[in-house]
Amino acid sequence: MIGYCGTGYHGMQYNPPNPTIEHELFEAFVKAGAVSKANSNDLKKSGFMRAARTDKGVHAGGNVISLKLIIEDPDILNKINNNLPPGIRVWGIERVNKAFNCRKLCGSRWYEYLLPTYSLIGPKPGSILYKEIEDSKIELPGVLDEDSESKIFWEKFFKEANDTFSKEDLEAIENYVAPPRDEFDDAEPTYQKVKQYKQLENKHRRAYRVSGEKLSKFRASMEQYLGSHNFHNFTLGKDFKEASALRFMKEIQVSEPFVIGEAETEWVSIKIHGQSFMLHQIRKMISMATLITRCGCPVERISQSYGPQKINIPKAPALGLLLECPVYEGYNKRLKEFGYNPIDFSQYQEKMDEFKM
């Protein structure tokens, strides 16, 4: 049972010459003496398998890998961890029967996405998305929600920007186009103004606190995913008619807002419990629910996306996504019959939460 920070890695799966989580783990097993020298040049020799692949930059509070390990040494767990970078941890090792396959026997998975609440602020006046929404209000009167909260947010920001910069400065900032990298000069006065303007915008975003009404809209959007649906629009290269596009979401929890770090940014935690997921599915689910909340769209847009029409849904950043843990509910009963311990992450919860923070 493992946890890792995916930043700087090309995902979970072994993929030489790229740095991956599995490469680091396997090297540590060999150095610690948990994998013999004879098997040290090939993962397949030790029957290596992972419960869930994670993409580039995606993290895991808990994930499961299975393989044949030499664990007679009572200090083997510490030896493995001592040979791993601090961003990868082995929480515990449990024995299973020979037929065990950690991917196929995993009944479901919990994922967590950390979203800064400022992601729910309506588009910036003057932006392309803002103009599209304004045009839609003329074309479809009464369909989109009015968003006075975002209006007040942007009014406050523009007031401070107008007090900080001259009219000429603001025009230069708006029209600024970065030169090619080899000609770039970070001391250039207009670039410095652009940087200052962006810092002011970020200061306002960090100070933002989401209202109960906006959070309710986001929760209502996320609830549209519960149950069994055709998620062909939430991945790559899947057709509406493919049976594998059908996925079942068991539970979805959106936390109350909380503040992290010195920057005092407000966040919400979104936990999704599903039987299985496709490539980019969660990041697209988060992105669509966020866009619906930001743009004042009806939440039914999500149920419409399960239909045959192809919709382009952007991905939310990988940075916020974390595999919470795979669940072996059904298989744990069988492990008990064999006299083995269940695969249960709850005993490491404190360590995992500390690691995640």
Side-chain angles (χ1 to χ4, degrees):
M1 288 177 271
I2 62 169
Y4 49 86
C5 171
T7 307
Y9 291 99
H10 284 243
M12 168 78 177
Q13 199 166 1
Y14 194 73
N15 181 22
N18 299 312
T20 60
I21 305 296
E22 287 182 0
H23 177 261
E24 295 275 17
L25 281 164
F26 200 66
E27 277 209 334
F29 292 148
V30 173
K31 285 175 187 169
V35 168
S36 69
K37 284 275 188 282
N39 293 339
S40 66
N41 60 350
D42 188 359
L43 270 79
K44 290 192 186 94
K45 285 184 183 176
S46 54
F48 194 99
M49 177 64 65
R50 89 278 312 159
R53 277 186 313 204
T54 50
D55 302 338
K56 184 179 178 180
V58 175
H59 322 296
N63 199 352
V64 170
I65 56 169
S66 58
L67 74 161
K68 294 168 192 161
L69 282 181
I70 305 159
I71 53 167
E72 279 72 12
D73 182 345
D75 199 33
I76 195 67
L77 185 63
N78 287 330
K79 284 182 180 172
I80 293 168
N81 279 325
N82 289 342
N83 281 292
L84 282 168
I88 304 174
R89 293 293 89 188
V90 175
W91 304 126
I93 298 168
E94 295 293 358
R95 192 171 181 159
V96 290
N97 67 318
K98 265 186 183 175
F100 180 75
N101 180 312
C102 65
R103 185 175 65 83
K104 288 181 181 169
L105 296 170
C106 172
S108 57
R109 294 163 179 86
W110 274 101
Y111 277 86
E112 180 178 32
Y113 196 94
L114 281 181
L115 185 79
T117 58
Y118 64 67
S119 304
L120 304 175
I121 300 166
K124 188 178 181 180
S127 66
I128 293 167
L129 186 55
Y130 180 86
K131 286 171 186 166
E132 281 189 9
I133 292 167
E134 290 307 299
D135 292 346
S136 300
K137 284 178 183 173
I138 300 161
E139 200 182 323
L140 305 161
V143 173
L144 301 181
D145 296 338
E146 277 306 318
D147 187 358
S148 54
E149 188 182 324
S150 297
K151 194 178 173 206
I152 293 164
F153 172 86
W154 288 115
E155 278 171 1
K156 275 186 183 173
F157 164 69
F158 286 129
K159 186 185 181 306
E160 193 171 342
N162 289 328
D163 292 345
T164 309
F165 301 95
S166 69
K167 202 178 174 186
E168 291 76 20
D169 284 343
L170 288 168
E171 261 178 45
I173 289 163
E174 198 179 328
N175 299 320
Y176 177 77
V177 178
R181 192 175 287 183
D182 53 347
E183 294 170 32
F184 180 73
D185 175 14
D186 65 355
E188 199 262 318
T190 312
Y191 170 72
Q192 284 301 318
K193 290 260 170 32
V194 169
K195 199 173 163 185
Q196 205 184 333
Y197 182 87
K198 199 73 199 156
Q199 283 168 348
L200 181 64
E201 195 175 320
N202 287 341
K203 184 189 90 171
H204 279 258
R205 287 179 189 276
R206 284 195 297 270
Y208 173 75
R209 297 295 177 258
V210 72
S211 68
E213 192 186 342
K214 201 174 263 282
L215 192 57
S216 294
K217 173 82 183 269
F218 181 70
R219 282 196 176 114
S221 303
M222 288 303 301
E223 279 168 15
Q224 301 290 305
Y225 296 125
L226 285 168
S228 184
H229 302 291
N230 187 324
F231 284 96
H232 73 103
N233 273 316
F234 292 82
T235 187
L236 294 175
K238 272 266 187 280
D239 192 67
F240 172 71
K241 291 175 182 170
E242 286 182 59
S244 61
L246 282 171
R247 300 289 156 135
F248 179 58
M249 300 299 117
K250 298 174 84 162
E251 282 175 83
I252 292 174
Q253 300 166 1
V254 179
S255 75
E256 285 300 311
F258 55 94
V259 170
I260 302 180
E262 288 171 22
E264 297 199 338
T265 302
E266 185 183 64
W267 302 75
V268 285
S269 155
I270 302 126
K271 290 191 177 179
I272 302 172
H273 185 195
Q275 263 181 349
S276 59
F277 298 89
M278 295 177 287
L279 179 71
H280 305 323
Q281 184 185 332
I282 293 172
R283 289 166 63 188
K284 285 177 177 269
M285 285 165 71
I286 298 290
S287 176
M288 189 159 190
T290 303
L291 279 166
I292 277 168
T293 311
R294 290 183 71 207
C295 302
C297 286
V299 293
E300 294 74 39
R301 283 282 178 276
I302 290 176
S303 1
Q304 288 164 9
S305 71
Y306 304 141
Q309 190 190 348
K310 202 79 189 141
I311 299 168
N312 179 28
I313 304 168
K315 299 191 295 280
L319 182 73
L321 183 60
L322 179 135
L323 170 64
E324 178 78 2
C325 66
V327 181
Y328 292 88
E329 216 168 343
Y331 198 72
N332 278 342
K333 289 169 191 160
R334 286 182 62 189
L335 282 174
K336 216 173 178 182
E337 287 164 22
F338 294 125
Y340 298 143
N341 295 327
I343 299 164
D344 175 21
F345 281 91
S346 63
Q347 57 189 315
Y348 309 114
Q349 200 60 55
E350 214 172 296
K351 280 184 185 175
M352 284 163 66
D353 286 344
E354 201 181 308
F355 180 71
K356 276 156 62 175
M357 289 309 283

